[in-house]
């Protein structure tokens, strides 16, 4: 007697007949592929976590104020280091902005208005459409922000717009709009927290997160966001090249240490969309062997 020992085809019963997948199962699989395969974290908890992160961010920046002499000393060191390693001058980018008519105003507006709203919109979209990716992105952003605050405390740094040796223009003050007051009276921000640039670090994470969470052939265009942010923060003389490089250097280890959960929304959707689960497949094989033995 020839016993059939090979596995039953996926989507068939033990006798080899093809099963028809109910439309409800197909819809469940499609819903999972759209990012609804995992439950979302509690909204109130997430709002409290994000609000707490923002408050810690603001408090940490305030703790770093008052180190004017050290901040300018570090600024001269960073400027000299960039010239020693032959990094391109920040002035080259600013010259392009200043000769572009209203381009410098657009750059100032981008610096003032895009940073927080873009990051918030990114997190909201992930929360609604990619819950597993949302938790991962929130953890990475929190880790990068915490590491940046430590560096802000350890290395106060005056931005290039304050450094006379740079020869750069404070474009926000001259052309507007500006988000900063004079350093002596500005109680809302720490203007000596130039390194690392969270403007660039967050923008880069937004691009990475959207590339990972989506499957469009155009998703790599999200890299334009950190690229534009880099040109803006340098061209407006708010940051040095090294500020962005250090931010990227913090993001790399955070991404390596904080992994997406194994069961992501996408894989959950695929599991729901399968015709025969692995357990049912194994059971079908056992039934075939038992029937052949009789």
């Amino acid at each position: 007697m020839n016993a059939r020992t090979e596995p039953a085809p996926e989507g068939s019963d033990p006798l080899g007949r093809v099963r028809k997948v109910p439309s409800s199962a197909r819809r469940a699989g499609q819903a999972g592929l759209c990012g609804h395969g995992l439950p979302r974290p509690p909204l109130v908890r997430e709002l409290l976590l994000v609000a707490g992160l923002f408050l810690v961010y603001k408090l940490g920046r305030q703790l770093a104020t008052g180190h004017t002499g050290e901040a300018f000393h570090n600024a001269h060191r960073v400027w000299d280091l960039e010239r020693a390693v032959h990094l391109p001058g920040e002035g080259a980018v600013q010259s392009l902005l200043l000769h572009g008519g209203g381009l410098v105003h657009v750059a100032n507006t981008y610096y003032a208005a895009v940073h927080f709203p873009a990051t918030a919109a990114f997190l909201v979209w992930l929360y609604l459409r990619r819950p597993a990716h949302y938790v991962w992105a929130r953890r990475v952003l929190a880790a990068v922000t915490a590491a940046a605050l430590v560096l802000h405390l350890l290395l106060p740094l005056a931005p290039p717009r304050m450094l006379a040796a740079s020869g750069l223009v404070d474009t926000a003050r001259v052309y507007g709009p500006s988000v900063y007051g004079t350093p002596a009276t500005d109680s809302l921000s720490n203007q000596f927290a130039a390194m690392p640039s969270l403007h660039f670090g967050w923008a880069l994470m937004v691009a990475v997160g959207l590339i990972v969470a989506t499957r469009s052939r155009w998703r790599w265009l999200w890299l334009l966001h950190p690229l534009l942010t880099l040109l803006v923060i340098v061209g407006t003389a708010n940051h040095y090249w090294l500020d962005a490089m250090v931010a990227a250097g913090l993001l790399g280890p955070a991404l390596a240490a904080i992994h997406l959960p194994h069961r992501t929304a996408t894989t959950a959707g695929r599991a729901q969309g399968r015709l025969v689960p692995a357990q049912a497949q194994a059971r079908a094989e056992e039934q075939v062997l038992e029937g052949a033995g009789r």
Side-chain angles (χ1 to χ4, degrees):
M1 179 176 61
N2 294 327
R4 180 185 175 189
T5 58
E6 63 270 17
E10 187 171 323
S12 65
D13 61 16
L15 298 179
R17 292 174 298 193
V18 177
R19 297 177 185 174
K20 183 178 179 180
V21 183
S23 59
S24 59
R26 289 196 298 268
R27 287 194 297 268
Q30 292 168 356
L33 288 172
C34 291
H36 301 291
L38 290 179
R40 298 183 184 93
L43 179 59
V44 174
R45 188 194 70 180
E46 292 305 310
L47 290 175
L48 291 175
L49 285 173
V50 173
L53 177 63
F54 177 76
L55 290 176
V56 170
Y57 169 75
K58 297 298 290 185
L59 178 61
R61 290 174 70 94
Q62 291 302 311
L63 291 176
T65 59
H67 302 279
T68 304
E70 185 180 359
F72 279 97
H73 175 69
N74 291 332
H76 284 283
R77 292 171 60 190
V78 168
W79 184 260
D80 292 341
L81 176 60
E82 286 190 344
R83 309 290 78 79
V85 297
H86 303 292
L87 286 179
E90 287 83 353
V93 180
Q94 186 171 93
S95 296
L96 294 176
L97 295 181
L98 295 178
H99 288 86
L103 195 58
V104 65
H105 185 80
V106 172
N108 291 333
T109 303
Y110 191 95
Y111 180 86
V114 174
H115 176 47
F116 278 109
T119 308
F122 164 68
L123 290 174
V124 169
W125 184 84
L126 288 183
Y127 180 84
L128 296 175
R129 301 298 301 273
R130 301 289 190 273
H133 289 82
Y134 163 78
V135 174
W136 163 72
R138 188 247 293 153
R139 289 173 178 169
V140 172
L141 283 171
V144 170
T145 303
L149 290 178
V150 172
L151 280 178
H152 292 165
L153 293 171
L154 296 178
L155 187 70
L157 180 67
R161 58 187 167 81
M162 295 183 183
L163 189 64
S166 70
L168 297 174
V169 177
D170 185 346
T171 60
R173 182 179 61 82
V174 175
Y175 300 96
S178 177
V179 295
Y180 301 120
T182 59
T185 60
D186 188 359
S187 60
L188 298 178
S189 60
N190 173 24
Q191 299 189 45
F192 296 141
M195 181 179 289
S197 169
L198 282 177
H199 267 74
F200 180 75
W202 286 11
L204 186 58
M205 180 55 203
V206 168
V208 170
L210 290 172
I211 289 171
V212 171
T214 58
R215 290 293 177 266
S216 168
R217 69 176 64 181
W218 304 103
R219 67 188 186 277
W220 296 100
L221 291 178
W222 287 113
L223 290 173
L224 290 175
H225 176 45
L227 176 60
L228 286 174
T229 300
L230 176 61
L231 295 177
V232 164
I233 63 176
V234 171
T236 58
N238 281 292
H239 287 282
Y240 306 89
W241 294 111
L242 282 178
D243 298 340
M245 295 170 66
V246 172
L250 293 178
L251 180 60
L255 290 171
I258 302 173
H259 301 285
L260 271 169
H262 292 298
R263 181 179 172 81
T264 63
T266 301
T267 57
R270 288 175 182 159
Q272 292 176 358
R274 287 176 185 160
L275 299 179
V276 181
Q279 295 87 346
Q281 178 70 23
R283 180 58 182 163
E285 294 177 16
E286 292 176 2
Q287 291 176 350
V288 170
L289 293 176
E290 289 174 3
R294 295 192 188 97

